[in-house]
């Protein structure tokens, strides 16, 4: 049980790390949102599962937390993306990226 | 989420009961005990909250509250979990590939779901599936940001296929 919990904690940490890496590497804000949302949602769920295995008496609160994360995480991302689109931030396109130095900043 | 929330209170008594049970379950989960005192307190609070907020919570009227709605709900949950894991593996691959394989574009798809709740769940599901992010919902059209649009194929059609994969299950339990 302890080993399984550690495994889930490790996977969760790894996905969260990948999410952070995605934030750094992605070319524009929409792709950053994509990387951030997905990785952090699964990362957080995996961490919660790991914690649930370590401390089974907390399962009810952990369940509420994971449901909250599952609903609010994508919703928040969509709202941010929508606000950006309405503010006139155009999505990055590979064909237009003639000056990669610019798009990487 | 620009869908106009229809202020109709055509929700049945069943929706009120559903809201009450939802709140009571939440209370008991947070309390973490089935103590009679907790039950009474939770039931009282849930009842008051249900009666006060019932006319304003039109969003729950999108739910189909029949026993036949349970299998589609479960199969939707299963599909959602599989897609979530796939989305993460896909994203991990993209982030770790040195050349950063991206070909983003905005694609518009139509949904057949009528209720705000159904569209909300659909939009959230799309955001958590491989390479897609719901940017805007306008009436029955969803604007989706796609990380890698297949170059030579009809991207609208493929996006529509993604949407329908969820819709098929969602239709079973939301309007």
């Amino acid at each position: 049980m302890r080993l399984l919990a550690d495994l889930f904690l490790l996977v969760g940490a790894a996905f969260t790390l990948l999410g952070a890496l995605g934030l750094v590497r992605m070319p524009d804000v929409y792709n950053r949102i994509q990387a951030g949302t997905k990785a952090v949602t699964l990362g957080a769920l995996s961490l919660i599962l790991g914690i649930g295995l370590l401390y089974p008496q907390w399962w009810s609160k952990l369940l509420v937390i994971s449901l909250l994360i599952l609903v609010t995480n994508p919703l928040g991302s969509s709202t941010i993306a929508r606000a950006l689109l309405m503010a006139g931030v155009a999505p990055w396109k590979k064909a237009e990226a003639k000056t990669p130095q610019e798009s990487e900043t | 989420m620009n869908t106009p929330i229809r202020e109709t209170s055509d929700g049945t008594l069943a929706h009120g009961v559903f809201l009450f049970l939802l709140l009571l379950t939440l209370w008991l989960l947070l309390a973490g005990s089935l103590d009679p005192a907790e039950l009474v307190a939770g039931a009282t609070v849930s009842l008051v909250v249900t009666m006060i907020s019932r006319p304003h919570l039109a969003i729950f009227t999108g739910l189909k509250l029949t026993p036949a709605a349970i299998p589609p709900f479960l199969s939707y949950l299963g599909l959602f979990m599989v897609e979530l894991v796939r989305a993460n593996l896909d994203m991990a691959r993209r982030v770790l590939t040195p050349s950063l394989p991206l070909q983003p574009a905005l694609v518009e798809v139509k949904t057949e779901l009528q209720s705000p709740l159904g569209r909300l769940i659909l939009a959230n599901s799309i955001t958590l599936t491989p390479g897609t992010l719901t940017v805007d919902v306008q009436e029955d059209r969803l604007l989706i940001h796609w990380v890698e649009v297949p170059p030579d194929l009809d991207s609208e059609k493929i996006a529509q296929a993604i949407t329908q994969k969820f819709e098929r299950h969602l239709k079973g339990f939301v309007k």
Side-chain angles (χ1 to χ4, degrees):
Chain A
M1 193 61 106
R2 178 65 214 236
L3 198 68
L4 198 63
D6 284 350
L7 189 69
F8 274 114
L9 289 175
L10 195 66
V11 168
F15 272 121
T16 315
L17 178 70
L18 284 173
L21 194 64
L23 286 183
V24 177
R25 287 210 67 200
M26 288 298 179
D28 80 341
V29 67
Y30 296 103
N31 289 308
R32 289 202 174 104
I33 291 174
Q34 290 234 21
T37 316
K38 294 186 220 310
V40 170
T41 309
L42 191 69
L45 287 182
S46 184
L47 283 176
I48 286 174
L49 199 57
I51 297 168
L53 288 173
L54 279 182
Y55 301 96
Q57 69 272 28
W58 291 354
W59 70 270
S60 60
K61 288 176 183 70
L62 293 172
L63 182 68
V64 175
I65 295 172
S66 29
L67 288 180
L68 194 71
I69 287 176
L70 269 179
V71 175
T72 52
N73 235 352
L75 192 61
S77 301
S78 292
T79 312
I80 296 171
R82 176 161 179 267
L84 285 164
L85 191 76
M86 289 169 88
V89 179
W92 175 85
K93 277 198 175 67
K94 198 164 232 174
E96 289 169 9
K98 280 164 192 160
T99 49
Q101 299 94 324
E102 256 181 34
S103 59
E104 270 171 25
T105 50
Chain B
M1 307 297 125
N2 210 18
T3 334
I5 307 288
R6 278 153 296 171
E7 284 291 340
T8 50
S9 52
D10 55 356
T12 55
L13 183 68
H15 288 105
V17 174
F18 175 78
L19 181 59
F20 173 75
L21 289 176
L22 191 73
L23 290 168
L24 186 60
T25 312
L26 190 64
W27 177 284
L28 291 176
L29 281 175
L30 286 174
S33 76
L34 282 172
D35 213 57
E38 288 291 355
L39 274 172
V40 171
T44 315
V45 173
S46 304
L47 191 65
V48 171
V49 172
T50 305
M51 278 157 72
I52 295 174
S53 63
R54 184 73 199 89
H56 312 293
L57 274 176
I59 191 159
F60 281 115
T61 55
L63 278 176
K64 285 180 189 166
L65 292 171
T66 52
I70 294 169
F73 177 69
L74 292 179
S75 62
Y76 162 76
L77 270 188
L79 175 72
F80 176 77
M81 280 299 154
V82 171
E83 291 291 315
L84 181 59
V85 173
R86 270 188 52 210
N88 275 274
L89 296 177
D90 176 76
M91 194 46 78
R93 181 181 62 81
R94 269 176 224 289
V95 169
L96 292 177
T97 311
S99 63
L100 211 60
L102 294 174
Q103 194 63 260
L106 288 171
V107 184
E108 213 180 59
V109 294
K110 281 190 88 152
T111 173
E112 289 169 24
L113 295 168
Q114 297 299 318
S115 67
L117 182 67
R119 287 174 191 168
L120 170 73
I121 300 178
L122 180 66
N124 271 5
S125 311
I126 290 173
T127 300
L128 289 176
T129 50
T132 50
L133 168 74
T134 313
V135 176
D136 200 358
V137 183
Q138 294 272 6
E139 300 291 318
D140 63 341
R141 311 189 74 82
L142 285 102
L143 195 59
I144 292 171
H145 178 264
W146 213 353
V147 161
E148 192 170 27
V149 176
D152 49 345
L153 296 159
D154 189 351
S155 57
E156 299 240 345
K157 224 167 238 165
I158 300 166
Q160 199 76 52
I162 296 175
T163 318
Q164 273 159 3
K165 189 167 59 179
F166 283 112
E167 265 182 0
R168 213 178 49 234
H169 298 285
L170 280 172
K171 265 187 215 158
F173 66 96
V174 287
K175 280 170 202 157

